[in-house]
Amino acid sequence: MSLNRNSLAALLAGGEPLVIHHWDADGVTSAVTIAQFVGRGVSFLVPPFTYRPKADFMNVVAGLSADKDLVLVVDYNVQPEVYASIVAAAAGKPVVVIDHHVSAYPRVANFYYYNPAAEGDPMGLWPSAAHVIADALGFYDPMLIAVSIYGDLWEEALNNRVYRAYMNELGLDVERDSGLIRECAMQLWASEAARLTDVIGGLAYSLAYGGVDPCQAILSDPRMTNAREAVEADMRRAINDAERGEALGGRVMIYGIKASYRVTGMIARQLARQNPGKAVVVYSLEGGVGKVYVRGLRDSRPLIERLRSKGLSAGGKSQLGNNVVSLEVPQESLDVTVKEVIRSMEELAGSILLA
């Protein structure tokens, strides 16, 4: 069931939720924003680094939600069957998803969602899940929300009017002062890329309840800084050594990469900037799991829908300045998935490609 602003705020007010949050900057800041609104009594849970969590994760959800009023899932864009499994694990507690991805949801009892961008966001009004939460609740730290937006849009954030509004609220100049926001977002991204489970697992709690300046705490953590140096070096090497190909007469560039860290998504973003006017497909194995990202599209939604119709677990965003398609597949399915992505792009070229 879809919620509106008032019903979401009423559901959260006075409750003690278990918050399952994505492991990136937007996921962390979304969880912190909820905790700041709710107050004490929030428990946080970071999923394993996959969009296909196994039964042991659902057992953890069942245990942690037993003494909670509800379960919140924020910025974790998974398939409907995963949401349904979380509902089953919650054993009758309401499960509420708050997100900004193009998403499909199950029709099961005790499941609710608040997602103004579920069908796409052509105006770029919902650049982060943390902003979705801040807008709905009217209670937030503008610095955290700015970090969440930058962490999802990166350099494109400077052209996003929502990001610019938060910077104005902070009294910061978008062009001059965004370096601080970027550095904070990069530290969080490095923690995700390096799979620093212990760091990410405690970060929402310390930022929500530790009484610390968020960016100062993030930038002064040596674990994040060391991870960032290693991850950035790995990413440069992966780009340099990438296998390169093309399709549709050079309108689609294809890159196969090998990396030690979770950098495929960021590499896809960088390669899209290096290939203006073209679509970019980047694929890799991350921890034995196949990952595929598509960027540089005029509109990602038709491709997401086409891939889902073929039984693939495609997700992504359809936003102004941020069209992306992402897939996570078993290792043995990676090659055939890449071929299916290219085939679908060829079939949809007129509606999804820029040129």
Side-chain angles (χ1 to χ4, degrees):
M1 177 187 299
S2 177
L3 299 174
N4 59 36
R5 281 185 177 86
N6 291 338
S7 56
L8 175 64
L11 197 58
L12 296 184
E16 291 191 359
L18 168 65
V19 179
I20 302 171
H21 65 89
H22 195 216
W23 46 78
D24 69 356
D26 190 15
V28 171
T29 55
S30 293
V32 173
T33 302
I34 289 169
Q36 291 174 335
F37 175 78
V38 172
R40 296 283 175 176
V42 177
S43 295
F44 304 102
L45 176 61
V46 182
F49 291 101
T50 176
Y51 297 97
R52 297 169 173 264
K54 297 180 179 179
D56 56 350
F57 174 70
M58 298 306 167
N59 292 335
V60 174
V61 173
L64 292 178
S65 63
D67 61 349
K68 295 298 180 182
D69 300 315
L70 70 158
V71 176
L72 301 177
V73 184
V74 295
D75 194 45
Y76 186 40
N77 182 36
V78 293
Q79 295 302 301
E81 58 268 23
V82 177
Y83 292 129
S85 295
I86 294 174
V87 171
K93 305 289 178 66
V95 173
V96 181
V97 169
I98 308 174
D99 210 338
H100 71 131
H101 294 82
V102 175
S103 299
Y105 297 117
R107 294 186 179 182
V108 295
N110 299 316
F111 179 83
Y112 308 88
Y113 68 92
Y114 183 74
N115 183 354
E119 300 299 324
D121 181 19
M123 300 299 293
L125 300 177
W126 308 107
S128 72
H131 166 61
V132 169
I133 295 166
D135 176 79
L137 302 181
F139 190 95
Y140 56 90
D141 178 341
M143 178 71 79
L144 282 175
I145 311 303
V147 170
S148 77
I149 296 173
Y150 205 103
D152 264 23
L153 297 182
W154 297 101
E155 287 77 5
E156 283 297 322
L158 277 64
N159 300 317
N160 181 270
R161 57 180 173 175
V162 179
Y163 173 77
R164 298 179 75 90
Y166 281 109
M167 291 293 282
N168 183 65
E169 186 174 346
L170 287 163
L172 298 177
D173 180 82
V174 171
E175 281 71 26
R176 185 182 65 245
D177 300 323
S178 285
L180 171 63
I181 306 299
R182 183 184 188 279
E183 289 300 300
C184 193
M186 283 294 293
Q187 292 281 96
L188 289 169
W189 169 74
S191 298
E192 170 193 357
R195 299 179 177 88
L196 299 183
T197 304
D198 55 338
V199 173
I200 299 172
L203 193 56
Y205 189 90
S206 63
L207 294 181
Y209 301 129
V212 296
D213 176 83
C215 273
Q216 181 179 356
I218 292 167
L219 291 175
S220 62
D221 190 319
R223 296 168 298 177
M224 293 186 183
T225 301
N226 292 338
R228 178 176 170 181
E229 293 175 357
V231 167
E232 289 180 328
D234 186 52
M235 187 166 63
R236 289 192 295 269
R237 181 200 55 74
I239 293 175
N240 185 63
D241 296 342
E243 296 181 5
R244 292 167 169 83
E246 61 181 53
L248 279 80
R251 298 170 69 191
V252 178
M253 305 303 297
I254 306 165
Y255 297 87
I257 66 167
K258 295 179 180 179
S260 301
Y261 298 101
R262 292 178 55 89
V263 296
T264 312
M266 183 65 82
I267 286 176
R269 188 182 296 275
Q270 290 199 6
L271 290 174
R273 286 199 299 270
Q274 293 176 18
N275 291 275
K278 297 182 179 182
V280 168
V281 178
V282 181
Y283 64 94
S284 73
L285 289 175
E286 289 184 351
V289 176
K291 304 298 289 286
V292 184
Y293 286 85
V294 184
R295 283 195 169 273
L297 300 175
R298 176 158 55 91
D299 186 1
S300 62
R301 188 168 55 177
L303 182 56
I304 293 172
E305 293 173 350
R306 175 66 61 88
L307 294 172
R308 285 176 177 172
S309 73
K310 296 178 180 293
L312 292 169
S313 298
K317 297 169 189 169
S318 177
Q319 296 176 324
L320 179 67
N322 191 30
N323 278 278
V324 58
V325 180
S326 62
L327 300 97
E328 180 178 287
V329 300
Q331 177 175 346
E332 62 272 16
S333 301
L334 180 57
D335 289 343
V336 69
T337 299
V338 172
K339 291 177 182 178
E340 186 57 61
V341 169
I342 300 301
R343 186 181 303 113
S344 295
M345 292 178 70
E346 291 173 343
E347 296 170 353
L348 296 168
S351 60
I352 66 173
L353 297 184
L354 290 171

